Amino acid sequence: MPAQSKAQQRAAGAALSAKRGETKVGELQGASKQMYESMSEDELEDYASTDLDDLPEHVDDDD
């Protein structure tokens, strides 16, 4: 499942970096911390690799 917004893609990238040990888990906050705790490395890679063309900055929560 690809990311639905640019913000979601960036959060997944930060969480993926922490999963791989490239950044410290303690530096994560908000959505990236939740993603780190609840998603596998493969899931995070799928989200983080989403093409940013035509993605909105944020997803509307009203859906």
Side-chain angles (χ1 to χ4, degrees), residues 28-29 34 45 59:
L28 298 177
Q29 54 187 340
Q34 282 184 305
E45 190 164 321
V59 175

Side-chain angles (χ1 to χ4, degrees), residues 37-57:
E37 294 170 351
S38 66
M39 297 174 77
S40 70
E41 188 172 330
D42 287 340
E43 290 172 311
L44 289 170
E45 190 164 321
D46 189 33
Y47 271 72
S49 66
T50 302
D51 188 12
L52 294 177
D53 293 343
D54 300 323
L55 284 182
E57 186 61 35

Side-chain angles (χ1 to χ4, degrees), residues 10-21 23 28 31-37 39 44:
R10 286 191 300 266
L16 180 60
S17 178
K19 278 269 193 206
R20 292 179 174 169
T23 59
L28 298 177
S32 59
K33 189 171 187 172
Q34 282 184 305
M35 289 175 143
Y36 173 84
E37 294 170 351
M39 297 174 77
L44 289 170

